[in-house]
């Protein structure tokens, strides 16, 4: 989830700096992104070097697709977790009655 949050933050802000303000060091953020790219076999970021206006980082099309896929995954898993939690509560309540 941490890496997903990094990518979402970059996508929303256009800034790698904003991403590492999530509490992860710049070096760790950068290394995590490079590790993901190596594993997946494609680039996640398009970087523009700083200048008078500063640099920027944007996600590649593949990076945006990865975020969208992970967002969908989370939505499905969150629903599944809610359902399973309801079942757990019912089981606990039933155990109290016996």
């Amino acid at each position: 989830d941490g890496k997903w949050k990094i990518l979402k933050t970059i996508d929303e802000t256009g800034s790698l700096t904003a991403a590492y303000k999530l509490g992860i060091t710049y070096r760790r953020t950068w290394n995590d992104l490079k590790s993901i790219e190596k594993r997946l076999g494609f680039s996640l970021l398009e970087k523009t070097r700083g200048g008078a206006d500063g640099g920027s980082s944007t996600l590649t099309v593949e990076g945006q697709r990865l975020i969208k896929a992970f967002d969908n995954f989370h939505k499905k898993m969150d629903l599944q977790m809610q359902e399973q939690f309801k079942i757990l509560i019912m089981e606990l309540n039933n155990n109290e009655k016996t």
Side-chain angles (χ1 to χ4, degrees), residues 50-64:
D53 297 326
S56 67
S57 297
T58 56
L59 294 183
T60 61
V61 171
E62 293 86 357
Q64 291 172 345

Side-chain angles (χ1 to χ4, degrees), residues 39-86:
R39 284 183 175 178
L40 295 176
F42 54 81
S43 295
L44 297 170
L45 294 178
E46 294 175 355
K47 298 165 282 305
T48 305
R49 287 195 178 265
D53 297 326
S56 67
S57 297
T58 56
L59 294 183
T60 61
V61 171
E62 293 86 357
Q64 291 172 345
R65 284 193 2 233
L66 179 64
I67 285 178
K68 188 173 184 175
F70 214 84
D71 284 342
N72 289 334
F73 171 78
H74 263 276
K75 286 177 189 173
K76 291 175 186 174
M77 292 308 296
D78 288 349
L79 289 173
Q80 190 70 267
M81 290 290 289
Q82 290 171 6
E83 287 300 315
Q84 291 302 314
F85 188 72
K86 288 176 189 176

